Each structure stands twice: as C-alpha cells, then as structure tokens.
Amino acid sequence: WKVATRYYPDAGSATVDALVARSPALKTMGPVDDGQLMLLPFLTAQEMVASGFDGSYRVLLARAPNRRQTEPVAEWARGAVPRFSLRWESPRSASQPYSLYAVGFKSRNDALAAADYVLFKLAELQAERLSRRVSSSSRNLSMTAADGAGR
C-alpha cells in the first residue's frame, strides 16, 4: 500500500487491484526491500501527461532512482514509438527519481494521444510476452505427456 500511495496519490483498493492485474508479478511478491526495482504501470493516459516548461506538453514514460534504470524504457520507446523525442529530467534532490519523458507536444490532446499510444504498445508487448509464456508452457506439457506415454 505504501508504494501504491506514493506513486498513485489517490490509491484505494481499486487502484491496487488494477496494479496487480497489470503486473502479475506483484501477486507473488513478498515484502519489498529498500532499493528494490519495481515496475508500476500507468493506469491511464491522463496520469502520464504534464505541461512542459515552455508551454508544450510532455508524457512521462519512466521514473527510477538512477538514469541507468530508465535506459531499457528509452530503448524500447525509440523502437516502439520512434516519432517522439526523449528527455531526461534529473532529480532536484537525492530523494527524487530520474524521470524520462517524451517531449514537445503542442497540445494536451496531442500528448494524451501519444500516452494512449504508448499504453497500447505496452499492452501489445504484454500480450506478446504472455502468449510466448503460454506457448512455452504448452510445449513443456506436451513433452512431459509424451515422456510419460513412452514409459
């Protein structure tokens, strides 16, 4: 709950349920150790969009204690959503995370559309990974059944 309310200020049981549904690894997770890296997905595009310093809008893609931990997201974003420009924001204090943004959107609607697209691409990636896992499990079951039949 502490993690959920830190990153999702209005978190309630519905928010926690949605987080667990989007990150199945959280179901089997024990207590979180200090410094442990966790993936907390965005629930809506609105959570990802903020106004920029120059009157433009930006889309938050990742936050992490150090910039190196945001690099895999940046690499993914460059391939999955190449039309976006990326920018890192350094923390203002040691207790704040590094933030990775897609930047330069001229309107809030453009930024929301980009955030929706990012969420769509992430859902595609998650479905692809799940499909591979299910396919791999099916092959393993088939091989186990074949091994048992030969005995």
Side-chain angles (χ1 to χ4, degrees), residues 134-148:
V134 167
S135 177
S136 175
S137 295
S138 296
R139 277 195 305 273
N140 289 342
L141 286 174
S142 295
M143 289 181 354
T144 302
D147 289 344

Side-chain angles (χ1 to χ4, degrees), residues 116-129:
D116 277 334
Y117 184 72
V118 167
L119 291 173
F120 170 76
K121 295 301 280 183
L122 285 171
E124 273 187 341
L125 180 64
Q126 189 175 31
E128 181 183 311
R129 286 182 176 169

Side-chain angles (χ1 to χ4, degrees), residues 27-98:
K27 286 181 186 176
T28 58
M29 205 168 167
V32 179
D33 295 325
D34 193 27
Q36 182 175 346
L37 187 62
M38 294 177 60
L39 172 63
L40 297 175
F42 295 104
L43 302 177
T44 66
Q46 289 81 3
E47 294 174 310
M48 301 167 67
V49 173
S51 57
F53 302 111
D54 58 358
S56 66
Y57 288 84
R58 59 192 180 164
V59 176
L60 178 62
L61 300 176
R63 281 199 174 127
N66 65 59
R67 181 179 165 153
R68 183 180 44 79
Q69 291 171 322
T70 65
E71 287 293 340
V73 176
E75 186 177 324
W76 171 82
R78 286 184 191 106
V81 285
R83 66 178 193 253
F84 303 147
S85 296
L86 301 178
R87 194 183 100 220
W88 279 266
E89 187 175 288
S90 300
R92 291 186 182 96
S93 73
S95 64
Q96 292 180 319
Y98 279 82

Side-chain angles (χ1 to χ4, degrees), residues 7-20:
Y7 290 95
Y8 305 95
D10 299 326
S13 61
T15 302
V16 173
D17 290 345
L19 285 171
V20 171

